Amino acid sequence: MMKFIAGPCVIESADLLDTVAERLVAINRRLGVDIIFKASFDKANRTSLASYRGVGLERGLQMLDDVRRKWGLKLLTDIHESYQAAAAGEVVDVIQIPAFLCRQTDLLAAAARTGRTVNIKKAQFLSGEDMRYPYEKCVKSGAGEVWLTERGNMYGYNNLVVDFRNIPDMRRIARTVVMDCTHSVQRPGAAGGKTGGNREYVPAMALAAKAFGANGFFFEVHPDPDRALSDGPNMLRLDELEGVIASLL
């Protein structure tokens, strides 16, 4: 069964979380899927010190828990430091490891020890085959399940290129390989102190990844991406999500 992950890049407000969650519940009902709700309590890897980071660990996890209680959705969030793992594991179903941090042994082990599913995003400087070692670190540290996520590679400045051969390479390692359809169209640091992107390519990224065997799909979504506080240029408009998921089904 395909896995779907969607939500805003970062927690901006309770109203935004409710707006997105309500739409995901409706899509789940109409399409018979089970979208996992994603939002970050902290974005520790923003381009600029002045960029918005989020609401912090304690408040963010409470807001995510409110989404679960109100809307009945499964949850995913990312962590950047080992001490955040235990608290996140009390609230979310899936702990995500950011791409830049996917070789950090202590971070991987801490996430795995929660017993939750761990989703490891492939670094922009690694091949799909290289992800065997982060995967093994999590498995040997007790993770309930380990997913691997493709999000593109850096071959130059301010751009990402997806080598779709990474997907079958990672499918030989993990049963679930996710395509990050929105981060893969980023233009890192290409927008004057913040990340740019090309959201018009998101639907095609998803379909291409499916052709190469991806069985999970990750979308950052927002009702008005041009006003989003993080990753706006590469985020999918919330009202376009259902059509993209339907095309994958």
Side-chain angles (χ1 to χ4, degrees):
M1 182 176 179
M2 289 186 194
K3 292 181 169 61
F4 295 99
I5 302 161
C9 177
V10 65
I11 297 173
E12 299 179 15
S13 67
D15 286 344
L16 173 64
L17 299 187
D18 280 341
T19 296
V20 175
E22 183 177 23
R23 182 64 61 88
L24 298 191
V25 168
I27 295 171
N28 282 343
R29 183 178 63 251
R30 283 193 290 265
L31 298 184
V33 293
D34 186 16
I35 305 170
I36 300 169
F37 183 94
K38 180 270 173 183
S40 299
F41 55 81
D42 180 27
K43 300 299 292 184
N45 54 355
R46 297 302 306 275
T47 302
S48 168
L49 186 63
S51 297
Y52 177 75
R53 287 185 53 169
V55 298
L57 176 66
E58 184 174 352
R59 184 180 173 206
L61 290 177
Q62 181 59 61
M63 293 172 77
L64 289 171
D65 194 47
D66 290 344
V67 168
R68 176 199 296 282
R69 294 173 185 275
K70 183 174 182 179
W71 300 103
L73 292 165
K74 295 176 182 176
L75 302 173
L76 177 151
T77 199
D78 42 6
I79 62 172
H80 293 82
E81 299 189 57
S82 301
Y83 79 87
Q84 298 170 338
E90 292 294 320
V91 175
V92 304
D93 302 276
V94 184
I95 296 176
Q96 183 166 277
I97 305 298
F100 285 129
L101 301 177
C102 75
R103 287 168 53 97
Q104 298 298 106
T105 301
D106 291 344
L107 184 64
L108 292 165
R113 284 195 295 268
T114 67
R116 296 297 191 179
T117 296
V118 180
N119 182 36
I120 314 172
K121 298 184 77 171
K122 182 182 71 61
Q124 298 89 332
F125 49 85
L126 293 180
S127 72
E129 292 176 340
D130 291 329
M131 292 304 293
R132 178 174 305 279
Y133 306 104
Y135 175 87
E136 289 176 350
K137 289 178 183 180
C138 284
V139 169
K140 292 177 180 178
S141 298
E145 189 175 351
V146 183
W147 304 346
L148 298 177
T149 292
E150 168 63 37
R151 52 96 16 97
N153 283 77
M154 295 286 289
Y155 293 101
Y157 299 108
N158 303 128
N159 207 354
L160 292 169
V161 176
V162 177
D163 181 348
F164 287 97
R165 295 172 298 181
N166 286 324
I167 293 172
D169 285 347
M170 291 193 290
R171 283 294 305 270
R172 286 187 277 272
I173 301 167
R175 286 187 295 181
T176 299
V177 172
V178 179
M179 180 67 198
D180 187 337
C181 305
T182 46
H183 285 100
S184 60
V185 301
Q186 279 183 333
R187 300 292 300 276
K194 56 186 179 180
T195 291
N198 299 101
R199 72 171 71 98
E200 65 269 24
Y201 299 135
V202 169
M205 282 288 185
L207 290 169
K210 181 183 178 184
F212 275 85
N215 54 0
F217 300 88
F218 179 110
F219 304 96
E220 285 193 334
V221 296
H222 196 283
D224 187 356
D226 291 333
R227 295 181 179 272
L229 299 182
S230 177
D231 274 1
N234 57 267
M235 292 173 78
L236 189 67
R237 296 184 189 280
L238 180 59
D239 60 8
E240 296 176 356
L241 178 64
E242 184 169 356
V244 175
I245 291 178
S247 74
L248 294 166
L249 296 172

